[in-house]
Amino acid sequence: MSTPYPFTAVVGQDDLRLALLLNAVSPRVGGVLVRGEKGTAKSTAVRALAALMPETEVVPGCRFSCDPAAPDPSCPDGPHESRPGVRRPTALVELPVGASEDRLVGALDIERALAEGVKAFEPGLLADAHRGILYVDEVNLLNDHLVDLLLDAAAMGASYVEREGVSVRHAARFLLVGTMNPEEGELRPQLLDRFGLTVEVKASREPDQRVEVVRRRLAYDDAPEEFAARWAGEEAAVRQRIVEARELLPSVRLGDAALRQIAATCAAFEVDGMRADIVMARTATALAAWAGRTDVLAEDVRQAALLALPHRRRRNPFDAPGLDEDRLDETLEQFGGQDGDGDGAGNDDGDGNDDGDGNDDGDGDGPGPGGGPGGRPEPDGGPPGDGDAAARPGSDGAGETQAGPGGGAGEQVPARASEPFRTKVLSVPGVGEGAAGRRSRARTERGRTTGAHRPRGALTKLHLAATVRAAAPHQRVRGRSGPGLVVRRDDLRQAVREGHESNLVLFVVDASGSMAARQRMSAVKGAVLSLLLDAYRRRDKVGLVTFRGTAAEVALPPTSSVDVAAVRLESLPTGGRTPLAAGLLRAHDVLRVERLRDPARRPLVVVVTDGRATGGPEPVALAGRAARLLAAEGTACVVVDCEAGPVRLGLAGQLADELGGTAVTPAELRADSIAGVVRDVQGAGTRRAA
């Protein structure tokens, strides 16, 4: 086994280390979600924590890591006799993004269950992680139903497997840690709320600290054992401090004044439900124990708020997590107590934020309290990028061009998107096999059962009736003599289930001078933003291609982060000629690459244009050929017709016909009719295919 990087050797990242240590002291805090850019020691710190944790005593031979002092009475390997336990290092279990449900919760031996009538259960990762650490890297890329199962088990402290009439329950209490890069997509707000604490991490911009990071990493890579030995003393000190804090935790007093501050803080920031209050109370108690105190102080409540509330402040899918620290201090001061819990909202987090690792390189150089977002008050309303009022026109569409008003050739100041609206469901025709989502029909691991077939790999969902029908005719030949059904592997049948998949929604937006009229672009951006919100809810990937001047560009490669798409849309520049063919061809190239990367994900293309094509020889004919190229591949398309004025050429309608889709005007978009139009397009495509 390789030598892990020492936890106390991590440079900076004070809030990350503190949040992990608080969960080590009190796993009931509810885990940690670590958000941040790549290369910021997220995974390194989590893996290092496992080596720092005290050893765990388990029942010998128990696959579910029961505690000898209090074994689980319903343990599938029980009941356990009273005998000495064995000590082992705390388990670190990593859940891969592509894991199946059976790998997470466990699987039943179907052959033994049918043939012998026994509950032969093979434990999953939840059982392996009991009394240890369960680490999910890129948790935002995990299938939603797996995240639901994971967080339910973490909340209840147990895992339940109900399948084919067989029920298994086992304890599953673990320290849950998830890491994610927000640029690759967000978690749903409901799932964000289930993580106890959140930390925003970023690489230091201080040259000296960056030098120290590189120096330590190179020293570790050259001689891991020697490097770890140099930090053994600090590691042992923190390990002992965790043990002492755990022992002190039951004696910590959470007074009425501290409870009042917690409740007032959650109310002031308008967080939903009561989970935030409970998490803050547990976090403040753990902070006091970590500091060696038996009373919770105002500084503990403040630090708990900075760790427990930022991710619960998302009022809109495009809002960034954050907390206004001035408002927090005012609330704590207003509701300061008189029963020994402190005299107000102090800003000194010396005891509550001391990680005790002897590492003097991170003092004052890491992110501020709350992991970064607390230092940036969240703006009230408006999508990301809306903070610089001077750089943007007003909502009434007023504003001058940067390069002069003539001819539409100059680049325009980006128009602000109009108010988004709720759209109906866009769906791709047929039944796909893409990633689980909430949009189009698909064969998935979850959903209603529609049939059965022989398993092409490992059996994951047994179709019991089909299996019995396959085995029944062969019972006499197989020498069946008792009540049990003799089942062979060839008899097993996989259930075919139909649910919903996510899709790739690719926006192809005309940003030429003819589209630069303020009200027109405002309405167009509002419509696209509405579809982005719908894509967020339905777990789609989105991409953005724009064309203007002489070429087209991929403003946003296909991604699960609709937040980034909204930012790119908001700052979209306009002006110049209309290379429509280049935009369609670039969209074709994007789809071709995405089919190689993810062939099961089906696309939906939304072209936003007035249909004019200018620049180069025969621009209209070139655009027609590019459109027919997309149509030949059966891509579902809709054209948003942005043509305006008393004389209408109908070019967008012609483009829609060549794409095999239908054109819709911005007025029809505002009427929430785009979903119906897309279904018409899809229906037309299906009829042509037939």
Side-chain angles (χ1 to χ4, degrees), residues 15 302-303 306-307 325 347 349 353 367-375:
D15 292 307
R302 185 181 194 278
Q303 184 65 57
L306 292 172
L307 293 173
E325 291 193 45
N347 195 25
D349 57 356
N353 197 24

Coordinates of all heavy atoms in Angstrom, one line a residue, residues 15 302-303 306-307 325 347 349 353 367-375:
D15 N -10.1 26.1 5.9 CA -11.5 25.7 6.0 C -11.7 24.3 5.6 O -12.6 23.6 6.2 CB -12.4 26.7 5.3 CG -12.3 28.1 5.9 OD1 -12.6 28.2 7.1 OD2 -12.1 29.0 5.1
R302 N -20.7 31.4 14.7 CA -20.3 32.2 13.5 C -19.6 31.2 12.5 O -19.9 31.2 11.3 CB -19.4 33.3 13.9 CG -19.0 34.2 12.7 CD -18.1 35.4 13.1 NE -18.1 36.4 12.0 CZ -17.3 36.3 11.0 NH1 -16.5 35.2 10.8 NH2 -17.3 37.2 10.0
Q303 N -18.6 30.5 13.0 CA -17.9 29.6 12.1 C -18.8 28.5 11.6 O -18.7 28.1 10.4 CB -16.7 29.0 12.9 CG -15.8 28.1 12.0 CD -15.1 28.8 10.9 OE1 -14.4 29.8 11.2 NE2 -15.3 28.4 9.7
L306 N -20.7 29.9 8.7 CA -19.9 30.0 7.5 C -19.7 28.6 6.8 O -19.4 28.6 5.6 CB -18.6 30.6 7.8 CG -18.6 32.1 8.3 CD1 -17.3 32.6 8.8 CD2 -19.1 33.0 7.1
L307 N -19.8 27.6 7.5 CA -19.6 26.2 6.9 C -20.9 25.6 6.5 O -20.9 24.8 5.6 CB -18.8 25.3 7.9 CG -17.4 25.7 8.2 CD1 -16.9 24.8 9.4 CD2 -16.5 25.6 7.0
E325 N -21.2 38.2 5.3 CA -20.6 38.2 6.6 C -21.0 39.4 7.5 O -21.2 39.2 8.7 CB -19.1 38.0 6.6 CG -18.6 36.7 6.0 CD -17.1 36.5 6.3 OE1 -16.7 36.8 7.4 OE2 -16.5 36.1 5.3
N347 N -15.2 38.2 15.7 CA -14.6 37.8 14.4 C -13.3 37.0 14.6 O -12.6 36.7 13.7 CB -14.4 39.0 13.5 CG -14.1 38.6 12.1 OD1 -14.6 37.5 11.6 ND2 -13.4 39.4 11.3
D349 N -11.6 33.7 15.2 CA -11.9 32.3 15.1 C -10.7 31.5 15.5 O -10.4 30.4 15.0 CB -12.4 31.9 13.7 CG -11.4 32.3 12.7 OD1 -10.4 32.9 13.0 OD2 -11.6 32.0 11.5
N353 N -11.1 27.7 14.7 CA -10.5 27.4 13.4 C -9.1 27.0 13.4 O -8.4 27.0 12.5 CB -10.7 28.7 12.5 CG -10.5 28.4 11.0 OD1 -10.8 27.2 10.6 ND2 -10.1 29.3 10.2
P367 N -8.0 30.7 2.0 CA -9.3 31.4 1.8 C -9.9 31.9 3.1 O -9.5 31.4 4.2 CB -10.2 30.3 1.2 CG -9.3 29.2 0.7 CD -8.1 29.3 1.6
G368 N -10.7 32.9 3.1 CA -11.3 33.4 4.3 C -12.3 32.5 4.9 O -12.5 31.4 4.4
P369 N -12.8 32.8 6.1 CA -13.7 32.0 6.8 C -14.9 31.6 5.9 O -15.4 32.5 5.1 CB -14.2 32.8 7.9 CG -13.1 33.8 8.2 CD -12.5 34.1 6.8
G370 N -15.3 30.4 5.9 CA -16.4 29.9 5.1 C -16.0 29.4 3.8 O -16.7 29.1 2.9
G371 N -14.6 29.2 3.6 CA -14.1 28.6 2.4 C -14.2 29.5 1.2 O -14.2 29.0 0.1
G372 N -14.3 30.8 1.3 CA -14.2 31.7 0.2 C -15.5 32.4 -0.1 O -15.5 33.6 -0.2
P373 N -16.7 31.7 -0.3 CA -17.9 32.4 -0.7 C -18.4 33.4 0.4 O -19.1 34.3 0.0 CB -18.9 31.2 -0.9 CG -18.4 30.1 -0.1 CD -16.9 30.2 -0.1
G374 N -18.0 33.1 1.6 CA -18.5 34.1 2.6 C -17.9 35.5 2.5 O -18.5 36.4 2.9
G375 N -16.7 35.6 1.8 CA -16.1 36.9 1.7 C -16.7 37.6 0.5 O -16.3 38.7 0.2

